[in-house]
Amino acid sequence: MPFITEMQLRASLSKGELPNPYVLSDGCRLTPAARDFLQSRGITVGKSGAMPGKQASPALPDIPIGVSNRHIHLSAEHIEKLFGSGYSLIPLKELSQKGQFAAKETVSLAGPKGMLKDVRILGPSRGASQVEISRTDGFQIGIHPPLRLSGDIADTPGIAVYGPKGFIYLQQGVIAAKAHIHMSPGDAQAYGVKNGDRVQVRTHGQRPLELHEVVIRVDPRFSLDLHIDTDEANAGFINQGDRASIVGLST
């Protein structure tokens, strides 16, 4: 399902080709920013073949933003090595995705140039341990994490992890998480996207950012949420729970 973006509307306006009402072809949708652009200019929206007075389909809602600070996912084996035989993580706070939680426990991460202390563990345990830090964190400890989706850890840097009962060295698993949007199948249908699609996203606030190549991740367990890291959040003055809009598909 194609999106009509604000950028496309501005280009049409500059050419004097922006009619009122603006008629959407079948299967097309306006992004929230595009709809606001038309409304601010008093331009109404209709659909091709619609009866006079019939309302167009509602604009797609903005997407809540989750800002991910540095954290680690651990395998059951590594939890025991760091915290003791038979140890289970203690949930501290539920996360936006069902079944996932921030644990009470933290660890320290050591790189060639320094250490990051009190790094939160996210549960439950995983099949393979994985560390997610920002590029700024990487500069601090002397590790250069590649931009990857969660789970894609082949040929990534390693790191030492210290817990209260021991330490481990991960041969690989340090990444900077690529921005992505969690969606349920219903959300994906509403937005006209599918698992693995890449979209352009615009954040709102004091310093709007446009993020490209944001990956759509679809699963029945997922709740609608855009995940970015602290570097991206700081660049855009973004706080947890702020909103963003999908403005088009990345080509």
Side-chain angles (χ1 to χ4, degrees), residues 9 29 39 48 72 122 125 160 173-175 186 190 193 221 226:
L9 294 178
R29 284 198 177 187
Q39 290 177 347
S48 179
I72 185 170
L122 301 190
S125 62
V174 182
I175 66 170
V193 295
R221 298 167 296 177
L226 165 63

Side-chain angles (χ1 to χ4, degrees), residues 4 9 12-13 16-25 30 34-35 37-39 41-56:
I4 304 297
L9 294 178
S12 296
L13 181 63
E17 299 173 354
L18 195 62
N20 189 4
Y22 185 83
V23 178
L24 288 173
S25 301
L30 293 168
R35 188 171 292 274
F37 178 83
L38 293 176
Q39 290 177 347
R41 286 156 178 78
I43 299 173
T44 59
V45 180
K47 294 194 72 174
S48 179
M51 295 296 291
K54 185 177 180 180
Q55 292 284 334

Side-chain angles (χ1 to χ4, degrees), residues 76 79-80 82-90 104-105 164-165:
I79 291 172
E80 291 196 348
L82 295 169
F83 293 92
S85 179
Y87 194 88
S88 295
L89 297 175
I90 301 171
K104 179 181 177 182
E105 295 81 4
K165 296 294 181 67

Side-chain angles (χ1 to χ4, degrees), residues 2 80 105 126 153 178 200 206 210 218 242:
E80 291 196 348
E105 295 81 4
R126 288 191 173 186
I153 61 173
K178 189 174 180 63
Q200 299 173 27
Q206 296 180 63
E210 191 160 298
V218 181
D242 285 353

Side-chain angles (χ1 to χ4, degrees), residues 70-229:
R70 65 179 78 110
H71 60 271
I72 185 170
H73 302 275
L74 289 170
S75 67
E77 175 189 359
H78 287 162
I79 291 172
E80 291 196 348
K81 287 185 176 181
L82 295 169
F83 293 92
S85 179
Y87 194 88
S88 295
L89 297 175
I90 301 171
L92 176 66
K93 178 184 177 182
E94 290 186 357
L95 301 179
S96 61
Q97 302 307 311
K98 185 177 180 180
Q100 298 184 19
F101 61 88
K104 179 181 177 182
E105 295 81 4
T106 62
V107 295
S108 295
L109 305 177
K113 292 185 177 179
M115 179 174 285
L116 298 172
K117 296 183 178 181
D118 300 321
V119 177
R120 187 70 56 189
I121 301 172
L122 301 190
S125 62
R126 288 191 173 186
S129 295
Q130 173 182 294
V131 174
E132 297 182 33
I133 61 176
S134 69
R135 195 175 186 212
T136 299
D137 291 331
F139 290 145
Q140 181 178 337
I141 62 175
I143 291 177
H144 303 290
L147 191 62
R148 297 283 186 88
L149 286 175
S150 180
D152 182 10
I153 61 173
D155 301 318
T156 56
I159 198 166
V161 184
Y162 291 84
K165 296 294 181 67
F167 81 97
I168 58 175
Y169 184 79
L170 300 180
Q171 296 295 329
Q172 62 181 13
V174 182
I175 66 170
K178 189 174 180 63
H180 56 280
I181 302 175
H182 289 282
M183 288 186 175
S184 69
D187 293 327
Q189 184 177 12
Y191 283 87
V193 295
K194 62 183 183 301
N195 188 57
D197 279 352
R198 284 163 167 73
V199 297
Q200 299 173 27
V201 172
R202 180 175 299 155
T203 66
H204 309 308
Q206 296 180 63
R207 184 187 286 167
L209 297 180
E210 191 160 298
L211 304 174
H212 294 251
E213 297 290 322
V214 179
V215 181
I216 301 296
R217 311 201 78 174
V218 181
D219 190 280
R221 298 167 296 177
F222 287 166
S223 300
L224 187 63
D225 209 19
L226 165 63
H227 282 189
I228 61 175
D229 71 8

